[in-house]
């Protein structure tokens, strides 16, 4: 089983990936936050540049609904040395969905089919394979079977399924029956090989994503997903040791390592960003997740979220760490 880090917009950037891999690891692949610009430059180019991702297995994710735009971004990524790109069909954001991108494209089956036909038709010329990260529909569970009937027409390198509808965002329980439906449709006759399902293109690789936030929740879905790989997002932020714990069941958190990890993030964000206020804002975004995993009191978290200067940030973090 392989573990991937899910792309979280503005959070799992190359600065975070490098520090995470240095202090924790346990993750086999990292997916970048989505790229949208037709011409890679500035922040998006830094995000995927090989110099900023040395030693990491990174898959760039693209958010688009125009095949020519998608292929143009993929071409530039191929020139940087990437052999795989990922299509975002899962983002539930209202501004994204309203433009029929991300999960919004799932609501128009004809448009989805035409778009996939375009990008898979041009991928060979560029020299990249295309994986997909998807939700199971916009509003109704009945949409999923139609969406799957489109997917199996194409040589998808890997289908990463977050079994929720767009209108559920990240709330409520995941629909494990939808993931099982994917397993059955891909190859109903071969339940023992649940992670790699057959389409007319051969073995169809499925990965599960959704609500794996600790070892207990991983065990709870294990019987449902067979030998499928997994992708984890929020769980790795709440507990950076989670990937290692899943594989070795190590239950001894190390405060010293965590402190070194967050200190290095601050230093590297200072190099990347234009001022300390931006650095503090980025660290506050991360601490919303860290606090849940560490059991930080609501009072301390509120104090932290009010600061705007690094000196104030460091003072509150020192108090938090002393109380753990």
């Amino acid at each position: 089983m392989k573990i991937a880090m899910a792309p979280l917009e503005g959070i799992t950037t190359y600065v975070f990936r490098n520090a995470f891999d240095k202090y924790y690891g346990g993750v086999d692949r990292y997916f970048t936050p989505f790229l949208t610009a037709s011409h890679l430059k500035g922040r998006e180019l830094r995000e995927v540049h090989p110099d900023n991702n040395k030693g990491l297995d990174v898959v760039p994710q693209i958010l688009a609904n125009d095949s020519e735009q998608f292929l143009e971004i993929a071409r530039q990524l191929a020139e940087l040395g990437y052999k795989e790109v990922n299509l975002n069909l899962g983002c539930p954001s209202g501004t994204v969905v309203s433009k029929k991108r991300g999960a919004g494209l799932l609501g128009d089956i004809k448009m989805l089919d035409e778009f996939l036909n375009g990008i898979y038709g041009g991928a060979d010329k560029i020299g990249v394979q295309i994986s997909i990260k998807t939700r199971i529909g916009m509003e109704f569970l009945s949409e999923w079977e139609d969406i799957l009937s489109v997917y199996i027409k194409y040589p998808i390198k890997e289908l990463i399924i977050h079994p929720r509808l767009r209108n559920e965002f990240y709330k409520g329980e995941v629909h494990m029956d939808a993931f099982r439906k994917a397993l059955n449709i891909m190859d109903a006759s071969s339940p023992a090989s649940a992670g790699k399902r057959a389409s007319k293109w051969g073995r169809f690789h499925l990965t599960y994503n959704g609500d794996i936030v600790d070892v207990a929740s991983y065990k709870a879905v294990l019987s449902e997903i067979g030998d499928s790989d997994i992708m984890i997002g929020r769980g790795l932020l709440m507990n950076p040791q989670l990937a290692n714990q899943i594989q070795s069941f190590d239950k001894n958190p190390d405060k010293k390592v965590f402190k070194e990890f967050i200190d290095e993030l601050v230093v590297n964000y200072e190099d990347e960003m234009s001022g300390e206020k931006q650095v503090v804002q980025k660290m506050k975004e991360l601490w919303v997740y860290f606090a849940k995993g560490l059991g930080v009191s609501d009072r301390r978290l509120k104090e932290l979220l009010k600061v705007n200067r690094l000196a104030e940030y460091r003072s509150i973090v020192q108090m938090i760490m002393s109380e753990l």
Side-chain angles (χ1 to χ4, degrees):
M1 179 199 68
K2 291 186 177 181
I3 299 176
M5 177 178 284
L8 297 174
E9 182 62 17
I11 294 180
T12 55
T13 62
Y14 78 89
V15 172
F16 183 88
R17 291 195 297 271
N18 279 285
F20 182 93
D21 198 72
K22 175 179 177 179
Y23 288 98
Y24 293 101
V27 170
D28 299 287
R29 294 176 302 151
Y30 296 85
F31 285 69
T32 74
F34 59 70
L35 309 170
T36 60
S38 296
H39 300 287
L40 295 175
K41 59 183 179 180
R43 178 185 60 80
E44 289 196 339
L45 180 58
R46 292 195 300 275
E47 179 62 30
V48 296
H49 199 284
D51 288 347
N52 294 329
N53 294 282
K54 292 179 179 178
L56 304 181
D57 186 353
V58 173
V59 181
Q61 185 181 79
I62 300 173
L63 178 72
N65 62 7
D66 178 273
S67 59
E68 291 185 5
Q69 179 190 27
F70 182 97
L71 291 171
E72 175 57 24
I73 299 172
R75 181 190 63 77
Q76 294 170 72
L77 291 167
E79 289 177 352
L80 290 172
Y82 289 99
K83 302 299 183 184
E84 177 188 347
V85 297
N86 180 260
L87 168 62
N88 181 324
L89 291 177
C91 180
S93 166
T95 54
V96 169
V97 169
S98 66
K99 298 176 182 178
K100 290 191 175 182
R101 298 190 299 177
L105 192 52
L106 302 177
D108 189 330
I109 291 295
K110 183 175 183 294
M111 184 177 177
L112 174 66
D113 196 3
E114 291 174 350
F115 174 65
L116 294 183
N117 185 60
I119 65 174
Y120 281 101
D124 286 344
K125 297 176 184 177
I126 295 172
V128 295
Q129 293 181 297
I130 303 171
S131 58
I132 294 176
K133 186 174 187 293
T134 186
R135 286 186 176 242
I136 58 175
M138 283 283 288
E139 299 181 79
F140 306 106
L141 294 175
S142 58
E143 299 171 36
W144 183 224
E145 193 160 347
D146 290 337
I147 293 167
L148 281 172
S149 71
V150 172
Y151 287 159
I152 62 175
K153 294 167 61 176
Y154 299 100
I156 298 172
K157 182 178 186 292
E158 176 182 11
L159 185 63
I160 305 162
I161 301 171
H162 182 118
R164 279 193 176 95
L165 298 167
R166 180 267 166 178
N167 63 5
E168 294 174 315
F169 288 84
Y170 300 96
K171 298 178 180 178
E173 293 188 8
V174 294
H175 301 283
M176 291 304 302
D177 54 337
F179 192 83
R180 289 194 297 270
K181 184 184 288 285
L183 297 180
N184 293 334
I185 286 179
M186 296 307 170
D187 185 3
S189 66
S190 185
S193 57
K196 296 182 179 179
R197 295 299 167 182
S199 72
K200 69 177 183 178
W201 300 99
R203 306 312 291 177
F204 207 89
H205 193 96
L206 296 182
T207 292
Y208 173 83
N209 168 234
D211 287 10
I212 296 177
V213 296
D214 51 30
V215 173
S217 55
Y218 166 70
K219 288 181 176 180
V221 303
L222 188 58
S223 62
E224 304 279 1
I225 66 174
D227 62 353
S228 299
D229 292 338
I230 60 174
M231 173 180 276
I232 309 174
R234 292 169 294 165
L236 287 172
L237 297 181
M238 291 188 286
N239 175 13
Q241 294 192 109
L242 179 57
N244 289 317
Q245 289 175 346
I246 285 173
Q247 299 189 65
S248 68
F249 302 107
D250 172 21
K251 297 183 179 179
N252 298 307
D254 191 323
K255 288 200 305 182
K256 181 175 180 292
V257 171
F258 177 74
K259 185 62 166 56
E260 291 173 353
F261 168 57
I262 60 174
D263 285 349
E264 181 156 320
L265 282 175
V266 169
V267 171
N268 292 340
Y269 284 137
E270 286 184 283
D271 291 338
E272 170 72 9
M273 297 175 173
S274 60
E276 68 173 317
K277 190 172 182 179
Q278 285 187 326
V279 174
V280 172
Q281 181 58 38
K282 182 59 62 180
M283 292 307 299
K284 288 195 293 187
E285 289 178 34
L286 291 171
W287 268 99
V288 170
Y289 296 97
F290 294 156
K292 291 179 182 178
L294 292 170
V296 176
S297 70
D298 290 342
R299 179 172 66 88
R300 282 286 185 237
L301 180 59
K302 287 178 181 178
E303 290 174 350
L304 181 64
L305 296 180
K306 289 179 181 178
V307 306
N308 289 300
R309 301 188 66 83
L310 277 171
E312 297 170 325
Y313 163 83
R314 291 189 172 105
S315 177
I316 297 295
V317 168
Q318 184 174 358
M319 284 190 285
I320 290 172
M321 297 303 297
S322 69
E323 293 168 355
L324 296 179

